[in-house]
Amino acid sequence: MLSDALQNPHCKLEILWLKYCGITDEGCAALASALRSNPSHLRDLDLTGNELGDLGVKLLCAVLEDPHCKLEILWLCYCGVTDEGCAALASALRSNPHT
């Protein structure tokens, strides 16, 4: 339901904190899909304490690479991100001057 709301073009949400919500790769895929369809308003995303792993991080990277993405703060503490996920994040952030 949250993904549906985020996809709505009238959604102007700027801060989304989903700490320790049990979000896995599947939930991250739905979140990333919603953010790709409406990326321009979200500025602060906190996914601390969710089991995203590298697959979830790679899905988020697609959002971060979008030139319409204006995300300024991304929290991924205790999410199981490895060196590979960090490298993907760094690449995505370098490719988008707005993030």
Side-chain angles (χ1 to χ4, degrees), residues 18-77:
L18 298 170
K19 296 179 182 181
Y20 298 96
C21 293
I23 297 173
T24 60
D25 289 338
E26 182 180 344
C28 196
L31 178 62
S33 175
L35 293 176
R36 275 195 313 275
S37 69
N38 187 15
S40 63
H41 296 286
L42 194 64
R43 302 281 188 261
D44 184 342
L45 177 59
D46 189 345
L47 296 171
T48 296
N50 291 289
E51 296 296 322
L52 304 182
D54 287 334
L55 178 58
V57 169
K58 287 178 184 176
L59 294 168
L60 288 173
C61 286
V63 174
L64 295 173
E65 291 169 344
D66 185 327
H68 296 104
C69 177
K70 303 293 190 279
L71 194 66
E72 298 170 2
I73 301 169
L74 176 61
W75 297 90
L76 295 173
C77 302

Side-chain angles (χ1 to χ4, degrees), residues 73-95:
I73 301 169
L74 176 61
W75 297 90
L76 295 173
C77 302
Y78 309 108
C79 287
V81 181
T82 66
D83 290 345
E84 181 182 342
C86 286
L89 278 170
S91 176
L93 293 171
R94 278 192 303 270
S95 71

